[in-house]
Amino acid sequence: MDARLEAIRDTVLARNPGEAEFHQAVVEVFESLGPVHDRHPEFLDAAILERLCEPERQIIFRVPWTDDAGRVQINRGFRVEFNSALGPYKGGLRFHPSVYLGIVKFLGFEQIFKNALTGMPIGGGKGGSDFDPRGRSDAEVMRFCQSFMTELYRHIGEYTDVPAGDIGVGGREIGYLFGQYKRITNRYESGVLTGKGISWGGSLVRPEATGFGTVIFTQEMLKTRGDSFDGQRVVVSGSGNVAINAIAKAQSLGAAVVACSDSSGYIVDEAGIDVALLREVKEEERGRLKDYAARRSGVSYVDGGSVWDVDATVALPCATQNELDGDAAARLVRNGLVAVGEGANMPSTREAVAVFQEAGVLFGPGKAANAGGVATSALEMQQNASRDSWSFEHTEERLTDIMVGIHDRCAATADEYGDPGNYVLGANIGGFVKVADAMLAQGLI
Ligand code: NDP
Ligand code: 2IT
């Protein structure tokens, strides 16, 4: 890494102790940015990197609520408003027991570059809570969401900060959050949240967008080698919103998707995953993958273990950060892997990324490959602002154009900086330059 960037990096790491995921995301971006600063010394003079790594605002709050037994529960809520150079802060809310400031900051930091790559007018932010929705009743989830919004409402708004879903936050939670925002503010401000239901301001294709977009991006990478999804053997991690829709899209392009996982284990279904059954078990019943295996013959369920033990030509990690390590990457590469599209945020460890890149595997990093979700959120904001709603076909066409555009911009940037096919470099530089130019133009703020 460039010595000037090393010094800035060391300061950032020292100023943010104990935030391992945030450190990892920062270091990975810094490793791409040396050549940009050679060409643009003005970015150094204006301390763009130092400013980028310091969130514009960080909000941490108490979330008290009562469970169904009448006991008081206390969780911690977060919203990190990272960068608003390109538009209102935009990014999801994650409800998972592992959430702490370091996770929210890594996600918010990645979101700045991802959102810039979409070409839409959105800044970067992220939030969430260490609340665990697993095993909670609808009524408990509602009371939690109402309490969370009772603090969050004062910090958000269609021109200020627009949250959406992430792990543990889907249509149900967005509904409860929107209802409470509306009640407190007495405003039907549709554009304050995205991922809403279709009848109350949501956008068609938003539920599918992240998974669909990841597959579209990966298909574009495959095309550069005269290849496609047709006939690929695909393994997906996770079985939530992103995973299920990635599976559906890959199958529609002719791939055999043979395995997916949840945090308890994984299934192998050599006949190809039955998406209708998967949706029934995971989305309607909020069940577990072992229930899927119990209802379909020829499926094996492996309790614990890693889904990356299953051979694949295309891997789509769609669960969580650091779920695919260097050893798993090396094993996949030995057994014929040709491409990886990250549906999750930072699912591959730094060692895994190095293994993929050294082996010449096509590697689409999350901030580019999973940008279809937030891009379609921006399309939802656009529909809300114009009080319009678009057809599925039109919205899907927009999503496809955006994903092809992100792919092409990453590829062109990698070419421009002398490392063709390096989508990590292309995404980091492409996103950074756009934000840095805007920050420079807007003065020292
Ligand atoms: P969901 O909550 O719908 O699904 C998450 C899935 O990942 C579940 O199958 C869950 O298993 C599994 N998982 C979560 N945490 C862990 C863990 N610590 N260890 C093992 N498995 C885990 O979330 P999404 O599908 O929305 O999100 C998945 C990933 O995609 C995240 O990295 C998210 O940041 C990213 N992403 C999401 C976008 C969106 O629009 N939703 C947009 C862009 C990126 P279990 O059910 O057992 O908990
Ligand atoms: O990581 C992500 O891009 C998301 N969770 C989606 C954010 C959004 O605002 O739609």
Side-chain angles (χ1 to χ4, degrees), residues 79 89-94 107 110-111 114-115 122 125-126 162-167 194-195 206 210 242 343-345 366 370-378 381:
R79 187 72 183 167
Y89 311 106
K90 181 82 195 87
L93 298 171
R94 176 178 292 191
L107 291 164
E110 291 279 288
Q111 201 83 45
K114 181 194 306 191
N115 293 3
I122 42 179
K126 201 83 186 190
V162 182
D166 193 80
I167 290 175
T194 61
R206 178 62 189 89
T210 310
V242 180
N345 286 304
N370 73 36
V374 76
T376 308
S377 279
M381 292 163 71

Side-chain angles (χ1 to χ4, degrees), residues 90 118 120 122 194-195 202-210 212-213 370-384 390 395-396 398-400 402-403:
K90 181 82 195 87
T118 66
M120 314 292 290
I122 42 179
T194 61
S203 174
L204 290 166
V205 191
R206 178 62 189 89
E208 295 84 2
T210 310
F212 277 24
N370 73 36
V374 76
T376 308
S377 279
L379 299 179
E380 183 171 330
M381 292 163 71
Q382 199 176 327
Q383 291 168 78
N384 294 153
W390 304 341
T395 316
E396 193 178 22
R398 292 283 311 263
L399 168 64
T400 304
I402 290 168
M403 293 315 297

